[in-house]
Amino acid sequence: MAVPGGDERLTADGAPFAVEDGVYASGPRTLREFVEVVWGYGDRVFLVSEDGRTTYREFFDAACGLARRLVGEYGLRPGDRAVVAMRNHPEWQVAFWAAQLAGLVAVPLNAWWTEDEFTYALDDCAPAVLLVDGERVGRVREWAARNHVPGIVFHGADGADGTDGASGADGASGADKADRTDRTDGEREGAPGATGFVPYVPDADPHLGPPLVDVLPEHDATIIYTSGTTGRPKGAVATHLAQAGAAMNPRYFAAAAALARGDVPGTGPVPVSLTTFPFFHVAAFTSFYGVMAAGGTLVMMRKWDAGRALELIREHRVTHYAGVPTTALQLLDLARATGDPLDSLTLLSTGGAAAPPGIVDGITAGYGERLEPRNGYGLTETSGGVLSNVGAEYRAHPGSVGRPTPVTEVRIDRPDAEGVGELWLRGQSLVRGYWGNEEATRAAFSEDGWFRTGDLARVDPDGRVAIVDRLTDMVIRGGENVYCVEVEDVLQQHPDVVDAAVLGVPHPLLGEEVAAVVRLRPGAAVGVDELRTHVGARLAAFKVPAHVLVREEELPRNPTGKLLKRELRGSLRVGRQGGPTSGT
């Protein structure tokens, strides 16, 4: 069965979200079209950070200046990849949108990755330029030198992280400075084929605009990496038309929510959003697309701290909060403990992981119906959220992830007697496949364009979708996907490990934590801390098992050799706080 999405009051012919040939009829066709409009918001504040405020005009002029530099000085052309690897700085937005204005394919990489993880993705997508902050440059410097790829460093002096980050006020090391000095004029930095890192120098001439390049709907806009059951990251490729649809989806959800409240869409105050998702995460795209479309303000945090979040909400009169359920719960707990009324907040939206059912009751008990709860469903492959459950419907159906957008079709494949089957999706915002991986693309997409999500779901008679379970072997820890086989592979690289199984165990705030069951070689003396250190040296910190159980007997497997993780879960006795009670 296939279930189309959309509220007919918004999708009828001539309505703002009418659909023609499966795409929004009146929406932008490229991200360049989408971002060019925000220049009209002028002196409205777009970005608020620890470094100050950036207006829409300042942001757009800076993005245009960097785009001109990438095309003119660096000689980049449409289709070239531009990696963006930095924490949530205002310059992340400048770099990402500069790539779109230049017709490049933006590749936002996970800022928490280790050097090895960066290297794999860089080898895979073969970027023509690296746009990184000072904390990341040390993790990509060797790759850049080996492959003769230039880079621009943003915030080069704001604190290296011990990974040979940029040094000196201009964000370049002494070796880089000498390297630039020794070049001939024909090899100067910025020329095609040049290498080395240079500091970002803003060019915000308001009279020049973006470079003159053709950006078409069918051109690739982004490559966002997600892992699969093989444990190897895959680059999900979205076209401009797909990302333009993703940019319209939050506008549709906002309009539908306004109608459900009895309001006229688009007549309320512009949003001021405290968005705590890292910008490289697709959940952040849903958030900042919605803010930009409305001319709202995006308030950023350097790192998560519930106390600081409450201060920012009060200081900037934040109306929208967006983050993973873990941070939302911490925010609500601290607000209740301190008596903070959160009086400016009107929407609390969670994503990136399944929201605990009790979160809605907590919001209602503390703030009545004034604070609107929202959750939903989206994946890297859908370019962000494509289902949404908000307000009164969410309170009435807390186990649902909501209804789809008008450009998203929902199908339950081979449902059982209870209507549960694999969730398949099709629509404008879905990616076209995986970068350089036709085998994975064929495995994930049907011949007629349906994406197999790997999630078990059912659809009620009113069109609401509920996620029942996951088919994929994955742990979602605080909104971050941890693919078990990737961690298992690293554990099995330790010389004392014979076999390893990784799985998720419940956690009251994170949703799940990573746990490992390990069998050692006879006589091995390696300890749990050493195994965790071994993983931490090769993978991001959120992938390191919080609990490790060492056992002498073989791990249970079926006749084909597949691990029987259901049996292993029984050996991980879970205590009141969510973790195993022994063997950690």
Side-chain angles (χ1 to χ4, degrees), residues 208-407:
L208 296 180
L212 297 177
V213 296
D214 289 329
V215 180
L216 302 179
E218 62 270 22
H219 289 173
D220 293 338
T222 58
I223 301 174
I224 301 179
Y225 276 84
T226 180
S227 294
T229 55
T230 62
R232 303 292 286 182
K234 301 190 297 291
V237 187
T239 64
H240 275 273
L241 187 63
Q243 285 290 3
M248 286 286 286
N249 286 339
R251 295 176 62 186
Y252 168 79
F253 286 139
L259 285 178
R261 294 192 302 268
D263 296 337
V264 177
T267 59
V270 296
V272 179
S273 177
L274 177 60
T275 296
T276 61
F277 296 113
F279 286 152
F280 58 77
H281 198 296
V282 289
F285 279 65
T286 299
S287 185
F288 66 67
Y289 281 157
V291 168
M292 294 174 73
T297 299
L298 200 64
V299 180
M300 294 175 287
M301 298 182 69
R302 179 175 174 82
K303 63 179 180 178
W304 169 249
D305 178 87
R308 179 58 179 152
L310 289 178
E311 293 174 359
L312 291 171
I313 290 171
R314 291 192 296 267
E315 179 182 353
H316 300 290
R317 304 301 296 164
V318 168
T319 62
H320 291 34
Y321 175 84
V324 296
T326 303
T327 61
L329 287 168
Q330 292 173 350
L331 180 77
L332 292 171
D333 286 346
L334 185 59
R336 281 191 288 266
T338 59
D340 193 313
L342 297 176
D343 57 348
S344 67
L345 209 61
T346 60
L347 176 71
L348 190 142
S349 178
T350 60
I359 194 171
V360 180
D361 292 339
I363 293 172
T364 304
Y367 305 98
E369 295 188 2
R370 175 184 65 79
L371 181 52
E372 194 169 63
R374 182 170 69 189
N375 81 337
Y377 180 89
L379 303 161
T380 303
E381 288 88 350
T382 63
S383 305
V386 291
L387 296 104
S388 180
N389 194 13
V390 64
E393 276 222 349
Y394 190 5
R395 299 181 203 277
H397 304 277
S400 169
V401 292
R403 305 171 191 268
T405 75
V407 294

Side-chain angles (χ1 to χ4, degrees), residues 28-50:
R29 290 296 189 267
T30 69
L31 284 186
R32 176 161 166 151
E33 290 178 36
F34 174 82
V35 74
E36 283 178 330
V37 174
V38 307
W39 183 86
Y41 292 131
D43 293 331
R44 286 192 193 179
V45 176
F46 173 32
L47 302 167
V48 175
S49 71
E50 295 175 355

Side-chain angles (χ1 to χ4, degrees), residues 325-326 329-330 333 354 356 505-513 547 574-579:
T326 303
L329 287 168
Q330 292 173 350
D333 286 346
V505 295
H507 188 278
L509 286 180
L510 297 171
E512 291 181 301
E513 274 194 329
H547 312 282
V574 178
R576 286 197 313 138
Q577 298 305 311

Side-chain angles (χ1 to χ4, degrees), residues 88-111:
N88 283 19
H89 292 302
E91 289 83 359
W92 191 101
Q93 293 289 338
V94 171
F96 176 84
W97 290 105
Q100 302 306 321
L101 289 165
L104 307 178
V105 183
V107 188
L109 295 184
N110 189 322

Side-chain angles (χ1 to χ4, degrees), residues 369-449:
E369 295 188 2
R370 175 184 65 79
L371 181 52
E372 194 169 63
R374 182 170 69 189
N375 81 337
Y377 180 89
L379 303 161
T380 303
E381 288 88 350
T382 63
S383 305
V386 291
L387 296 104
S388 180
N389 194 13
V390 64
E393 276 222 349
Y394 190 5
R395 299 181 203 277
H397 304 277
S400 169
V401 292
R403 305 171 191 268
T405 75
V407 294
T408 305
E409 294 180 272
V410 172
R411 170 180 170 183
I412 302 300
D413 185 57
R414 290 180 284 186
D416 62 15
E418 298 180 352
V420 175
E422 186 179 9
L423 177 64
W424 288 19
L425 299 171
R426 183 170 66 178
Q428 180 181 349
S429 67
L430 268 74
V431 302
R432 67 169 179 81
Y434 299 109
W435 181 260
N437 195 335
E438 289 300 321
E439 181 180 355
T441 300
R442 287 193 299 271
F445 289 87
S446 69
E447 291 184 359
D448 51 353

